[in-house]
Amino acid sequence: MELITYDRLFIDGGWRSPASARTIEVHSAATEEHIGTVPEATEADADAAVDAARRAFDDPAGWAAWEPARRAEAIERFAVALEERGAETARRVSLQNGMPISLAHQFEQGFPPLVLRYFSGLMTDNAQEETRPGMLGGRSRVIREPVGVVVAIVPWNVPQAITFLKLAPALASGCTVVLKPAPETVLDALLMCEAAAAAGLPKGVLNVVPGGRELGAHLVSHPRVDKVSFTGSTAAGRSIAETCGRLLRPVTLELGGKSAAIVLDDADLRTNIESFYAATLLNNGQICWLGTRVLAPRSRYAEVVDTVTGLARSLDVGDPLAPGTQMGPLVSARQRDRVESYIAKGLDDGARLTTGGGRPKNLDRGWYVEPTVFADVDNAHTIAQEEIFGPVLSVIPYSSEEEAVALANASDYGLGGSVWTADPDRGEALARRIGSGTIGINAYANDPTAPFGGVKNSGLGRELGPEGLQGYQTLKTIYLDPSTA
């Protein structure tokens, strides 16, 4: 295939030569072939990006000072430009990280324009200041202002959707952004830059610097940055939190998960099998909120194991660009090695492999792992406690709802989860007892109108919903003279 090549970085509203000749070489997850090259940003490039964002934010007549309706017009142009490039965005993501193309059309093509318009609408539909009567005779004016220059660091698993969890509320609120995409998925990020340029976003409002962890650390500690928003591993999140804590810098952290899918004794999994797949094995298992611990009642344990095993065996594994593919490759050889090491650990700990566990026999290229199910898993086993980030499910037995709740909560994480039952009221009552930032009943989806985020080791803060917008705003109070009340 024709290589996708960029030789410049998108900084300060245009394409500029990088500070060094270093490059990021991108490979196809399905074929392992070299598919593209982009510049690898240096600290000098990152400094230039932050400086551009700082100038754009501090401009008295600039983006932050625009009325929400005026910003909404620019954001709408951006959304349209993204839609015009949507099919190619989905294709590039599938090529890079193995996401099935049918899912990429939903997450990477459809979601970014949707969430841009949602947050832009929140800003235009809601007053950004209010006057409150005081208890001491005066009044107070409370004003919501953009927080400033935002560093957004995004992972490779759902790169465009996660980018716009941060970019949409930041832009709508009047912030300027320096985005660092993951090295594994940079081709889609630079296509997004083309959309930003076509939309005529003002200079410095959006700047993109591809690079690795060291570049991210430089940006997180940069003295001219006002806020950091990070999605990634818990280990990296802790380091970022430590830096931001010392700097007293606001930070949003959406981190790992090891969520529970609780199957109650009245559940009909076969009827809901597509929703169950979406909540447990979507995107080749490379989503942080997936319910990879399946808790099943002992009275129906063998049946649930058989159903989950049958689901895994039925999945169409293959070329992520093929419309019918349900399970593609993992993002890299390193990620495949990681997942295979967990499968080996599960076997060593005595769990029973019911399907999968190896590489597909009919695929001699690409970083594939078979959809894998373990039965007879103890909740204390490594595969039940650590995030694997691959197509591996652990089916864990329980004897009562009390035990199911205890097992679900016996985790360092608290990001997602689901409850499967014929009685939605019963399901919601149980969901309220689970220590998780989000949880679904007979399905799971991140709706733009509701806050998404975790508790415990799954992070700090929330994205999406009005709460996601508030994360990019700061409050100012003006106390008014009582004599003017």
Side-chain angles (χ1 to χ4, degrees):
M1 63 174 294
E2 183 177 353
L3 291 180
I4 302 170
T5 302
Y6 292 85
D7 59 5
R8 297 188 177 188
L9 298 171
F10 189 75
I11 295 174
D12 203 17
W15 298 93
R16 59 177 282 168
S17 297
S20 82
R22 298 194 321 226
T23 60
I24 296 172
E25 307 300 316
V26 186
H27 292 81
S28 162
T31 68
E32 306 178 35
E33 295 173 335
H34 178 215
I35 60 172
T37 301
V38 306
E40 181 180 2
T42 65
E43 291 187 2
D45 296 314
D47 291 344
V50 172
D51 288 346
R54 185 80 264 165
R55 286 193 302 272
F57 184 79
D58 291 343
D59 181 353
W63 184 254
W66 288 13
E67 290 294 322
R70 185 182 177 191
R71 285 199 298 269
E73 292 175 357
I75 289 171
E76 175 59 25
R77 293 195 302 270
F78 190 20
V80 170
L82 289 169
E83 288 172 332
E84 292 170 349
R85 295 160 177 79
E88 175 63 10
T89 297
R91 187 183 78 90
R92 290 189 185 187
V93 171
S94 292
L95 282 170
Q96 294 171 107
N97 72 2
M99 179 185 291
I101 191 66
S102 59
L103 183 62
H105 286 311
Q106 298 175 49
F107 281 11
E108 306 294 80
Q109 178 177 352
F111 188 79
L114 176 71
V115 76
L116 271 175
R117 290 173 174 132
Y118 169 71
F119 280 110
S120 180
L122 280 183
M123 281 296 298
T124 54
D125 292 344
N126 295 280
Q128 297 308 303
E129 61 179 75
E130 61 177 301
T131 301
R132 301 176 183 175
M135 299 178 67
L136 304 177
R139 295 171 298 155
S140 297
R141 192 104 67 214
V142 180
I143 305 170
R144 295 173 179 83
E145 298 180 332
V147 71
V149 174
V150 174
V151 162
I153 300 176
V154 300
W156 46 258
N157 61 322
V158 194
Q160 284 301 294
I162 294 175
T163 289
F164 281 88
L165 292 182
K166 307 173 189 310
L167 196 54
L171 294 182
S173 66
C175 296
T176 58
V177 179
V178 177
L179 171 72
K180 191 201 80 65
E184 294 85 352
T185 48
V186 289
L187 302 178
D188 54 294
L190 293 184
L191 183 60
M192 179 202 63
C193 295
E194 295 179 26
L201 289 186
K203 293 174 59 175
V205 168
L206 173 62
N207 311 270
V208 178
V209 284
R213 295 179 180 177
E214 295 79 8
L215 187 70
H218 179 72
L219 286 168
V220 166
S221 62
H222 201 288
R224 306 193 78 193
V225 166
D226 298 303
K227 176 188 168 70
V228 174
S229 182
F230 170 79
T231 297
S233 72
T234 296
R238 287 187 190 280
S239 177
I240 290 170
E242 290 173 359
T243 299
C244 291
R246 288 194 302 272
L247 296 170
L248 299 180
R249 177 168 294 167
V251 61
T252 298
L253 301 171
E254 197 273 282
L255 308 177
K258 193 66 182 180
S259 304
I262 305 171
V263 182
L264 296 183
D265 54 17
D266 63 350
D268 183 358
L269 278 191
R270 295 185 187 278
T271 298
N272 288 329
I273 200 65
E274 290 188 9
S275 294
F276 188 80
Y277 153 73
T280 56
L281 286 167
L282 201 66
N283 195 28
N284 319 329
Q286 296 178 144
I287 296 182
C288 50
W289 46 253
L290 290 174
T292 53
R293 291 186 296 147
V294 180
L295 307 187
R298 292 186 185 277
S299 61
R300 297 181 58 192
Y301 186 74
E303 176 193 348
V304 172
V305 169
D306 287 346
T307 299
V308 175
T309 300
L311 167 64
R313 288 175 178 166
S314 72
L315 296 176
D316 188 338
V317 181
D319 180 4
L321 294 178
T325 295
Q326 297 166 291
M327 185 74 65
L330 301 181
V331 69
S332 64
R334 178 182 177 183
Q335 184 64 16
R336 181 181 62 184
D337 291 345
R338 169 186 166 88
V339 172
E340 289 178 335
S341 72
Y342 275 107
I343 292 172
K345 179 62 175 173
L347 292 171
D348 288 345
D349 286 345
R352 174 167 57 93
L353 188 69
T354 67
T355 191
R359 302 178 184 181
K361 302 294 190 294
N362 61 325
L363 297 169
D364 58 0
R365 292 191 304 170
W367 300 303
Y368 290 89
V369 172
E370 294 173 319
T372 299
V373 177
F374 280 104
D376 303 335
V377 178
D378 188 290
N379 198 55
H381 283 172
T382 299
I383 60 170
Q385 287 296 314
E386 296 185 11
E387 186 174 41
I388 298 174
F389 227 60
V392 181
L393 300 182
S394 298
V395 189
I396 301 167
Y398 70 85
S399 298
S400 65
E401 284 192 21
E402 291 295 329
E403 186 182 10
V405 170
L407 289 171
N409 289 337
S411 171
D412 291 335
Y413 298 101
L415 182 59
S418 54
V419 181
W420 303 85
T421 176
D423 183 347
D425 291 337
R426 180 188 179 196
E428 183 172 347
L430 188 142
R432 290 174 180 270
R433 301 169 63 191
I434 305 302
S436 178
T438 64
I439 190 165
I441 310 299
N442 295 328
Y444 185 94
N446 298 136
D447 192 284
T449 64
F452 168 71
V455 298
K456 298 188 281 188
N457 286 359
S458 290
L460 299 170
R462 293 294 182 267
E463 295 179 307
L464 296 176
E467 296 80 4
L469 183 65
Q470 293 164 11
Y472 294 89
Q473 295 177 317
T474 186
L475 296 175
K476 175 185 289 183
T477 298
I478 299 176
Y479 299 112
L480 303 174
D481 184 347
S483 66
T484 64

